[in-house]
Amino acid sequence: MAKIIISQSTPLSGTVRISGAKNSALPILAACLLADSDSILEDIPQLKDVENMYNLLEWIGLKINSEDNGRVQIHSSNLINHDAPYELVNKLRASFLVMGPLLARMGQTRIPLPGGCAIGTRPIDLHLKGFIAMGAKITQGHGYVEASAKKLKGAKIYLDFPSVGATENILMAACLAEGQTVIENAAVEPEIVDLANYLISMGADIKGAGTDTIKIVGVKNLKGCNHTIIPDRIEAGTFMIAAAITKGNIRIENVMPDHLKPVSAKMREIGAEVNEEDTTLVVKGNDKFKPVDIKTLPFPGFPTDMQAQFMALMSIVEGTSIIIETIFENRYMHVSELKRMGANIKIEGRTAVIEGIKKFTGAQVKATDLRAGAALVLAGLAAEGETEIEDAEHIDRGYYKFEKKLMSLGAKIHRID
Ligand code: UD1
């Protein structure tokens, strides 16, 4: 079990480059299953979640060559297995995204049901509802879900909630289905647009990605292509908070400022300075911040994946701030750990009431999930004394060279494996 040790850091300053987006890379890697020739992907972040996805895809039959610079070559002409073993799937929830492509390309698939995780139960009913509407036969038993369809047929699918994963899974399956599929109340996250752009470059016929209605006309086959993954808006948002919480000044390169609008708006409201220049953001902290209220929502609302990190900042802003978490039912695991560092937070249902304290105090804490771990690192940067974060490997699932990047900005942080 890895530990991260952080000492109170002077204001962070300097330049940091943001890596490719984890939540784009994972569905795009799954989409490679649809292509009958090679793809080259650029800016794939070499994260634990990505490594787990490689292992699963290699089991299915893909050949993957990844270079340290984020360039990955994928040979997908030959699929061997239509199933996925439990040991590979239970390490990564997003592995369920291979279901749509396998069903479309091989006509059948058998995947272990993803379990719950620290932030909630995370059902897959909307994914399955889409496959059923497209003519797939679904059976569940012994912890597995099986799907089969000689040929998927286009259908009109209304999602009860704009689920990111369900939109991606159905979108991928529809690319090789017979006729037109319409996904209504689709997710509009930037990662959906990135996936659609990749699929379109492969030869798919998709219109409307990035709006709540996506229309897909199935094609006979898809060819591999070259594609560069969009920058990670959550990694960028985390460095924005690192600037604010240490009263620093960070130049954040390789970002899409439009993808960060809800985060930038809240940063400005709290009192930080955020300047946009093309693909760069410059964020400056301030001596006096104001309390703010946040409600997590699907894009373009405030992202749930930034909730924990923002809470760390709100904890040391004088006055009362409020967070309402509407996406996941159990995403406050970081609260008890922030409280160990002195935070004054009360939880009632999906609402967190945060009474600002003067300063965090360093403590022994535990990362319960990826973003909770990031929030504790941020709190540690601003805390008096030393903070020791256990189970720090959660952070490696989503942040590429996190400590190294923070150290280059002046943070006092190191890891014990
Ligand atoms: C993706 C992101 C995750 C982010 C989340 C919300 C990836 C790999 N992960 O997760 O980082 O926090 O979007 O922005 O891209 N739901 C159902 N039934 C379903 C599917 C989802 O009820 O069939 C519910 C979930 O339990 C959750 C909500 O819908 O409460 C949002 O889930 P969803 O948008 O599907 O998130 P993921 O794709 O799992």
Side-chain angles (χ1 to χ4, degrees), residues 384-414:
E384 203 170 76
E386 196 173 85
T387 300
E388 198 177 309
I389 305 174
E390 279 177 34
D391 292 356
E393 60 281 352
H394 281 294
I395 297 169
D396 306 336
R397 286 188 34 229
Y399 291 91
Y400 182 59
K401 298 196 169 162
F402 196 34
E403 296 108 88
K404 258 201 172 152
K405 288 185 182 183
L406 285 168
M407 255 192 293
S408 76
L409 299 168
K412 293 182 197 138
I413 180 167
H414 67 278

Side-chain angles (χ1 to χ4, degrees), residues 126 158-168 183-189 192 211-212 297-299 327:
L126 300 172
Y158 177 86
L159 297 179
D160 300 329
F161 181 85
S163 151
V164 174
T167 302
E168 291 166 342
I183 311 175
E184 292 178 330
N185 200 26
V188 301
E189 267 68 3
I192 303 281
T211 74
D212 64 2
L297 286 168
F299 192 80
I327 307 292

